[in-house]
Amino acid sequence: MYYHDKRLQYPVRVESPDPVFARMLQQAIGGVEGEIRVCMQYFFQAWGARGPTTKYRDMLLHTATEEIGHIEMLATAVAMNLETAPTKVQEAGAADKVVGAVMGGENPRHMVEGMLHRHILSTGMAAFPANCEGVPFDMSHIYASGNLAADMYCNVAAEATGRTLAVRLSNATNDPGMKDMLHFMIARDTMHQEQWLAVIEELGGPAGALPIPNSFPQSEEHQKFNYNFFATARDGTPPPAGRWTSGPSLDGKGEFSVVQNEPMGEEPVLGPARPDSGAQNEQIG
Amino acid sequence: MYYHDKRLQYPVRVESPDPVFARMLQQAIGGVEGEIRVCMQYFFQAWGARGPTTKYRDMLLHTATEEIGHIEMLATAVAMNLETAPTKVQEAGAADKVVGAVMGGENPRHMVEGMLHRHILSTGMAAFPANCEGVPFDMSHIYASGNLAADMYCNVAAEATGRTLAVRLSNATNDPGMKDMLHFMIARDTMHQEQWLAVIEELGGPAGALPIPNSFPQSEEHQKFNYNFFATARDGTPPPAGRWTSGPSLDGKGEFSVVQNEPMGEEPVLGPARPDSGAQNEQIG
Amino acid sequence: MYYHDKRLQYPVRVESPDPVFARMLQQAIGGVEGEIRVCMQYFFQAWGARGPTTKYRDMLLHTATEEIGHIEMLATAVAMNLETAPTKVQEAGAADKVVGAVMGGENPRHMVEGMLHRHILSTGMAAFPANCEGVPFDMSHIYASGNLAADMYCNVAAEATGRTLAVRLSNATNDPGMKDMLHFMIARDTMHQEQWLAVIEELGGPAGALPIPNSFPQSEEHQKFNYNFFATARDGTPPPAGRWTSGPSLDGKGEFSVVQNEPMGEEPVLGPARPDSGAQNEQIG
Amino acid sequence: MYYHDKRLQYPVRVESPDPVFARMLQQAIGGVEGEIRVCMQYFFQAWGARGPTTKYRDMLLHTATEEIGHIEMLATAVAMNLETAPTKVQEAGAADKVVGAVMGGENPRHMVEGMLHRHILSTGMAAFPANCEGVPFDMSHIYASGNLAADMYCNVAAEATGRTLAVRLSNATNDPGMKDMLHFMIARDTMHQEQWLAVIEELGGPAGALPIPNSFPQSEEHQKFNYNFFATARDGTPPPAGRWTSGPSLDGKGEFSVVQNEPMGEEPVLGPARPDSGAQNEQIG
Amino acid sequence: MYYHDKRLQYPVRVESPDPVFARMLQQAIGGVEGEIRVCMQYFFQAWGARGPTTKYRDMLLHTATEEIGHIEMLATAVAMNLETAPTKVQEAGAADKVVGAVMGGENPRHMVEGMLHRHILSTGMAAFPANCEGVPFDMSHIYASGNLAADMYCNVAAEATGRTLAVRLSNATNDPGMKDMLHFMIARDTMHQEQWLAVIEELGGPAGALPIPNSFPQSEEHQKFNYNFFATARDGTPPPAGRWTSGPSLDGKGEFSVVQNEPMGEEPVLGPARPDSGAQNEQIG
Amino acid sequence: MYYHDKRLQYPVRVESPDPVFARMLQQAIGGVEGEIRVCMQYFFQAWGARGPTTKYRDMLLHTATEEIGHIEMLATAVAMNLETAPTKVQEAGAADKVVGAVMGGENPRHMVEGMLHRHILSTGMAAFPANCEGVPFDMSHIYASGNLAADMYCNVAAEATGRTLAVRLSNATNDPGMKDMLHFMIARDTMHQEQWLAVIEELGGPAGALPIPNSFPQSEEHQKFNYNFFATARDGTPPPAGRWTSGPSLDGKGEFSVVQNEPMGEEPVLGPARPDSGAQNEQIG
């Protein structure tokens, strides 16, 4: 079960509130590269973890719990960027005119257009769980496959796209407070990329973990096709040479080669439609 | 641009049509672990590839094009499992009674229940781009981040969950034709896992590629926090020791440690609601 | 604006309540071939109708309003199929055991499995706006393009798939009340298919309406490619001959031919990634 | 920020694992009446809370944090219902045959059909954030409007449908462990219904809080229409008398009456389509 | 069944067409706080209404039918805001330049950006059933639980957020016609908030209706936990005192108190993965 | 199975990169009128085609394969519009300032607002499978009904809205390269509209194909209602006369007429709620 401290994990400061940046920050909350995703992904992996020990469940709970605090920081940052005051105090300065006018009728059009309209219409100047275009986060992005190694690669993928997003957000702002918060998050994403790859290493690295799942006897897969790059250029032009076109495979269990893909099957012929299947008469045999 | 051959990449045979297995196969078509996903993911990565060479665009096109043929094989397999005949000829045998009756009114209830109703009601006994529960595939699952290394890890994640799915499907059927097709696909997934990791290796492996994106100067991230495991147990219990709690980081650029997470920020205090923001009077300062 | 009569457009009778059929009927409520779709589609086409007269707005309102009554009939049919009594009176007969037990704990498992669980858990034995697999209807299926002829073809498509669905539902039940209701709806779908095609005829038929939109000067499209069937077989095998491979086009403005598709463009070369775009260093020129 | 304890808030015991009940429990995790919804809803309301005090933010954090633990309990219950053993030990008893066979090839069909296929294919026998039909939870259901009173009614709605769901789940199982867990959750939902209504009372009850938002001067709404029930029966039949058809309004600011709805506006006539808007020629004035 | 009058319920006038405001109005059509939602919600509640009388079905039909007219008014308002003429006549004035140019190629960029692109590309200057960011309305937001009291609170929630939205829209425009229409709608939302709460009062108010559902014997819920506020601060800080921390409960059936939340359960230990479940070998016991 | 040529079907040139136009082009990639839709729709129709010959499967494969190349062209066009250089070479000219600054911190606000933020944050300046508002494409839009004639009308609808979109895009740009590409695509859409209607003609035209499905004996539909326009005006005003109000039906099988719609059914009375269904006590009979 869970506990909270009403203070934030790391300080969130906004010196110059910027509604357009608030909109961009939404991607880190409710985008597929965002924090709701990693938080829920680690939780569901933890809650379904099976195996001889509870070691991985335990580790995942630590990090999933940390991530709630990241969503909280970002949601706070969105709300602050929708305010006129740098941190806590409402002031009637320049920024106030911008946002205040939106709600009051003066309506400086170029700012209204930049804001996500739902920040005005749906939330009263607060964050919500959608991406920077207003598309709500959808829980089908929570990957928890029941295979530990597959899950770890899903996590690396999430943190790699997440850190890339955080870097882009950092590039898009000049606000010192926002940069500070993002540089903290970028550091955490560095650790989290490492952390999931470290599990793979602990599981034996590529030689031990691949192919995933390693519990399926590789002798049953069609071994004629399991380390071949299939080329599909119409005129047979081979693909450019790379680590994947020749030499030993990464798991040490095969040898890469290039094969020109050709049909091994036939043209499929499905049976005619049944008389009572709602087809046209012409389809019924 | 693209070409087709109306023959299949690999033979698709069904000896004993099984509508429930048709339903399960839908997961490999329109599930998030499925073939539409990898096909479209590799295409969008290819079409947006930037860099000094077109090498990666080229490679991705080969494999994306191969994947169209996998969707085709699975769609064919679904249609065949919804038929009564093993391969091409309609027969009035036992299986026929089962499916035929569904449409004809005899209605052997236990079979109707097992089928995905939309196979009866929406497609006239054919595959459609949704998962095994009928949830349509949603293109937000196409990951193409513009960062080559991040994309490769997304691809490994897709193929790791994809091969896991194919193994589970293989375990769920006794049909020799279906097993043969799936064992071909399992082999291809082995190669594809290898292939994307081989790109990472070509890019220097963890030491060269991490942290992703490697173009952001690591000196700018908060280096106090970039190789620490943050522990969040209420009572301070440390996480179980693992490869990620001590020793050198995988990229060789840091040293792992464990830190008890404590608030570094304050309780955030947002400004009161504006008078014209649609809040209750009590929220307006 | 709108009015109601609390009586139904057409009688809804269920002689033998059948929870599995209730589930199937959901497709006609909240499936993409269903009645919410046509109702809302005709309303949005009406409300946005532009042109010198209000004739089409007027016609669309009549039919959209009729369709609300169809959703109502189907929702009533779902609720009745989830009851034990044929029409109005609760009885303790055979059907009662089936459904009653679900809620009461006896739990005849094979019936529970056939029912859509959300009928038990979310609605208390009533219809809801989702399809037969529980996927909620999504308003992106409301096609209202602002082009009258395009909209009419969208409507024909909706009624053609809608009547096909109604036929399949009729085939799936033996209940005389349900068949009677569906045969009424099938007749209405016949009329609605006709009705939208009649608008096209009034607009001059194919010769007058095609290509849609007919307001774009056809001289500006690349006339070398506007009546050619492009063949994409790798080995140049032509497609089977059909009405579309030779002879005059349907709009009388061109002549059909078959052309083997070949690349007219070059391999695209995108610029390298920008230094601050979150790419890997290797992608930055 | 947040902390965890790896123990559960309340014991989760399953005496007779039941895969069909696991499927039903998913509704309480990822259904719109479920625990992810209330958890995230309370968090986003807290993180965006504005007003002279942080009192409501503070309260909401306590309860949102509690709800994480409820998701955890339910996810644990799903995993346990997908196992063969009552609590911790794998046994080869009757239940084992059922589920074990699914993966092993014996395939007792009637059980496969009852399970959510994604429990077999996607998660390896664990919970995931979707409802009982496999539809992923969608964050558009997180209501946080920026108006405190509106939010409280959204919360009452969530807990009222949530407790109704928990009662239905309790009725659907005979397992003592599951009933015990659900009766704990039902009690918590009682409190949470009370809690949000208590905020309304603290804000002055209906007289003080209504109409929401109370910050809009009621003198500006069309006062001729603000306490009238509009009747829309075609033949003018009045609605049945009720608390809402006569007598003082609940906020004490008006008097209820019934009015027959009649058009006050005209038939709208939109301008013709513009020449370059992609309409048909016939729509262009 | 249903009837229409082609005139509007209330006049819709636009003096200064404003494409950005058209975009904002979309939220009231296809947002979760909008009119499609309440219209369909009341219809589905009506069509599934169970109980000794048809009184509530009857009432719901009146109001659901009224709401169709509200969608119609808003859709008309969107179309008019996308035109150049105040009401009926196309003129070549200032507004014309703005919108006309969009389609004609002059392309005054700052206006194009403010418009929802789909108004240009998909609808030919008409409304469509999506919110102000273009996200289509999704019928999972139709709450009809089968519990009358729960449904009424869902309706209050919908009208509370709906009136808040209408107030925000009114604040965002200076157009007298738009303000007039919105002030009519705000008044109707006042009545609808009252109306649903009046049903609760008729059902006995909190004492009679709570806890919802009142048909579950409260003796079966865990009475030790049903009127306690659970505090989750890590350091045991109690929540701020409020109406919900002490004193009698709102339903008069209990007494509020505050309890520090502590784990009552144990760390869950799931069984190991099965050998044929697609897990890694390391997870298999 | 499938092959590729890395050259494009038709040249894609951008003389003046325009990020706002890139955003608009997304509608043709991932909008419901776009190319992913037709590509996947034709593939799924082909893969499920039933009937005495494989003629239609064959034809559909040719065109589906062509459409992959259209997505590719559009994705290339999006990436090029997000660059500064007309075709291949990066230059530091005017356009560079615009886009380059976005990532570099100068942040010319009016351009950032016009761009789809996800092009900056999620893709690193490349296309992705969503529409012009960032809503991901959803595969429920793939219509493949199993009825050949219904599918053909779905295809006409798709190409009619698709050509309308392409015309609107062409009107919205002055870039010669983009106009050239779009005029090629407009020509292809002309052919594709023709092509699907030609199948209908080959199937006998309206007289042969209607009503769809023509395999349901029309004698079983309620023939009293199958060629009548139902009028729903409250006061009985008839609809305006049109091709659909009198004269022979288009299929030659009936005669159109106008009928005033009146209830033929009764007010439905559902049974009371069951005691254990989670309803309020007041609903339980």
Side-chain angles (χ1 to χ4, degrees), chain B residues 33 133 232 234 279-281, chain D residues 4 117 122 147-148 214-215:
Chain B
E33 314 91 343
E133 302 293 332
T232 63
R234 179 170 64 144
Q280 288 296 89
N281 280 323
Chain D
H4 78 283
H117 286 182
S122 293
N147 179 292
L148 182 58
N214 64 1
S215 60

Side-chain angles (χ1 to χ4, degrees), chain F residues 21 38 69 82 168 195 283:
Chain F
F21 194 62
V38 287
L82 294 167
R168 287 168 176 162
Q195 180 174 333
Q283 298 174 270

Side-chain angles (χ1 to χ4, degrees), chain B residues 18 20 27 33 110 131-133 135 168 171-172 174 232-234 261-263 267-268 271 278-283, chain D residues 1 3-4 50-52 54 57 103 105 107 109 113 116-118 120-122 124 146-149 209 213-215:
Chain B
D18 177 349
V20 174
Q27 190 70 21
E33 314 91 343
H110 64 287
N131 76 3
C132 68
E133 302 293 332
V135 180
R168 287 168 177 164
N171 286 345
N174 288 320
T232 63
R234 179 170 64 144
N261 206 355
E262 295 290 342
E267 179 181 9
Q280 288 296 89
N281 280 323
E282 290 75 8
Q283 297 174 271
Chain D
M1 64 164 289
Y3 298 89
H4 78 283
R50 295 182 182 279
T54 59
R57 178 182 189 275
M103 305 307 298
N107 206 340
R109 182 57 52 86
E113 292 169 21
L116 192 59
H117 286 182
R118 290 187 55 208
I120 301 174
L121 298 176
S122 293
N147 179 292
L148 182 58
N214 64 1
S215 60

Side-chain angles (χ1 to χ4, degrees), chain C residues 4 117 122 147-148 214-215, chain D residues 33 133 232 234 279-281:
Chain C
H4 77 283
H117 286 184
S122 292
N147 179 292
L148 182 58
N214 64 0
S215 59
Chain D
E33 314 91 342
E133 301 293 331
T232 64
R234 177 170 68 145
Q280 287 296 90
N281 281 322

